[in-house]
Amino acid sequence: MQTTGARARNWAGNITFGAARLHRPTSLDELRRVVAGAERAHVLGSGHSFNRVADTTGDLLRVDGLPRRVEIDAERRQVTLSGGLRYAELAAELHAAGFALANLASLPHISVAGSVATGTHGSGNAQRSLAAAVTALEFVGGDGESFTLSRAADPERFPGAVVHLGALGVVTALTLELEPAFEVAQWVYPGVPLATVAARHPEISAGAYSVSVFTDWHSDTATVWLKRRLDREPAEHPGERWLGGALAAGPWHPIPGMPATFCTEQGGVPGPWHERLPHFRPEFTPSRGEELQSELFLPRAAAGEAVTLLRAMAAEFAGVLQVAEIRTVAADDLWLSPAAGRDSVALHFTWVKDLARVLPVLGAVEDRLLPLGARPHWGKVTAAAPATVAGCYPRLAEFRRLAESLDPAGRFRNAFVDDLFAALP
């Protein structure tokens, strides 16, 4: 086992974690000993969070050193994988065996367990969050012992345990739903007016299996990225011009000035699901971490109103925002999922790495969107107070009771979770 006293930092470098020790166990026995001897413990995944959701004043753990598992059950269409695996590693192995996940996030570099714990998602009107594919979770609890929760055996508790913010234990393995492998082709349409996005968002989001709309909010136009699933949709684009935009003549990166070689292949070239659903190729780092990120999930019916409100803020975004993205996520039943109980539109903001400049603009965004029912993403920057965030998640009190039952000593809670729980009645 590797143990270091050096302070760990997140991917963006805006967070230095408070843990005195960072452990990377290489066996379950080593992991159990660390957990049982810790006053407080928390897991750090790939570090692609922008707040202190993964922080702790106790012992920080990485599980990517544990024995690797990828166990495919072809008959049940499920895969059980080790908690430290990243989507890029898993996807390539699944595809080689003839299977796929229904959806992927824009970055394949992120860990599966960390993405699930914070409610991360891809895009598509009919596609649920990545966490909704989970059918079972294997934990090491506060006493150092292992336990499993599954949708089949624990139907009442399981929906509360999937998006868990690291507060229930150390996830050592997950089981995910699979489907047969499929191909995707993608096309890019720059120049779509934001007025059209506001007025015709349902049509735009229904334009492909996975749809992303990129804008900087102050140019008053957007670029729409269509990803069509070729076993279900036409293997062709909707026309040289579409909704006021023109088909891109060459490869395109969402952030101006960044090399398009970082992005997955466009131009309608068919390719495996895992090489098209993400925006970025796993062999490249899409940026140097010089950014902060925020995201708000609203009821999908509020998309047009939200776009109109953000267009009115155009001047405030200049010089602070690198790019914004609009995606859709289907409803799920997971208590702390940002898409729990409602089909959602997710408004994502990639900011410059300057929190002092970002927070006033983000606060103004949230002032406009929270009244529409927005829920902040668990792993990203928000200007909202913990009490405000807690009020966005109606089943948070039930989650607190679940956490207290599974971890009565509060070993896996941290200041981030403590503040949320303290805000509850």
Side-chain angles (χ1 to χ4, degrees):
M1 177 171 64
Q2 298 175 354
T3 297
T4 177
R7 294 294 177 94
R9 304 183 77 187
N10 67 338
W11 174 81
N14 67 304
I15 298 290
T16 299
F17 297 107
R21 293 168 297 279
L22 173 63
H23 307 276
R24 189 171 181 262
T26 57
S27 70
L28 276 177
D29 284 342
E30 289 179 348
L31 172 62
R32 291 185 181 111
R33 285 197 297 271
V34 172
V35 169
E39 183 176 345
R40 279 206 160 184
H42 216 78
V43 176
L44 176 64
S46 47
H48 202 263
S49 55
F50 296 81
N51 58 26
R52 295 194 173 276
V53 67
D55 200 8
T56 183
T57 54
D59 290 85
L60 200 60
L61 291 151
R62 298 198 65 159
V63 295
D64 56 350
L66 295 178
R68 188 179 187 276
R69 291 174 65 186
V70 178
E71 300 164 4
I72 297 172
D73 186 330
E75 184 176 348
R76 294 185 178 182
R77 289 190 181 178
Q78 293 183 339
V79 59
T80 299
L81 60 134
S82 45
L85 214 61
R86 299 180 186 232
Y87 275 102
E89 303 169 76
L90 174 65
E93 194 156 338
L94 291 179
H95 186 73
F99 289 99
L101 300 172
N103 212 351
L104 290 170
S106 58
L107 285 175
H109 312 67
I110 55 181
S111 72
V112 179
S115 303
V116 165
T118 53
T120 299
H121 63 97
S123 187
N125 278 358
Q127 306 312 311
R128 302 173 300 164
S129 71
L130 303 182
V134 177
T135 62
L137 294 162
E138 298 176 23
F139 291 91
V140 167
D143 57 1
E145 297 300 315
S146 296
F147 67 94
T148 299
L149 294 175
S150 71
R151 184 172 287 279
D154 306 278
E156 294 185 0
R157 295 189 299 171
F158 182 77
V162 181
V163 181
H164 55 82
L165 313 183
L168 304 183
V170 179
V171 173
T172 56
L174 312 87
T175 300
L176 308 179
E177 297 171 335
L178 298 177
E179 55 185 85
F182 55 90
E183 288 199 326
V184 173
Q186 57 184 332
W187 297 268
V188 175
Y189 283 87
V192 177
L194 280 176
T196 301
V197 175
R200 301 174 68 174
H201 181 263
E203 179 182 350
I204 291 171
S205 67
Y209 182 79
S210 175
V211 177
S212 289
V213 178
F214 291 95
T215 183
D216 59 12
W217 291 116
H218 54 83
S219 66
D220 216 31
T221 62
T223 299
V224 180
W225 201 330
L226 302 176
K227 300 171 186 273
R228 288 191 165 171
R229 179 171 169 164
L230 301 186
D231 61 338
R232 298 182 181 178
E233 299 175 283
E236 57 188 22
H237 58 70
E240 293 295 324
R241 298 197 64 84
W242 182 65
L243 298 180
L247 188 66
W252 180 88
H253 192 289
I255 300 177
M258 294 293 288
T261 51
F262 291 176
C263 299
T264 52
E265 191 164 3
Q266 302 158 25
V269 179
W273 58 280
H274 66 294
E275 295 179 2
R276 296 294 183 274
L277 289 177
H279 298 333
F280 302 105
R281 301 173 188 260
E283 63 267 30
F284 293 106
T285 301
S287 76
R288 297 179 300 277
E290 293 301 315
E291 63 189 56
L292 301 174
Q293 294 183 10
S294 300
E295 190 165 31
L296 296 162
F297 295 69
L298 287 78
R300 197 176 300 170
E305 185 177 358
V307 170
T308 300
L309 290 171
L310 293 173
R311 285 181 67 204
M313 291 182 60
E316 297 179 58
F317 289 112
V320 182
L321 183 73
Q322 296 190 50
V323 72
E325 183 178 8
I326 306 170
R327 291 178 284 178
T328 54
V329 188
D332 58 49
D333 67 343
L334 308 177
W335 298 356
L336 296 192
S337 168
R342 67 191 195 191
D343 291 336
S344 300
V345 59
L347 302 173
H348 186 275
F349 304 85
T350 298
W351 309 99
V352 298
K353 191 177 171 182
D354 188 336
L355 189 61
R357 293 171 60 202
V358 167
L359 278 179
V361 183
L362 175 56
V365 168
E366 292 179 333
D367 285 346
R368 289 161 172 80
L369 299 187
L370 286 170
L372 301 183
R375 295 170 178 164
H377 189 296
W378 291 116
K380 302 185 188 292
V381 177
T382 179
T388 301
V389 177
C392 297
Y393 287 87
R395 303 194 73 172
L396 184 62
E398 292 176 77
F399 177 76
R400 178 176 62 181
R401 290 192 290 271
L402 177 64
E404 289 170 348
S405 69
L406 293 176
D407 179 28
R411 184 162 292 167
F412 298 107
R413 295 196 280 281
N414 58 10
F416 183 95
V417 174
D418 287 340
D419 288 347
L420 289 169
F421 287 178
L424 292 169

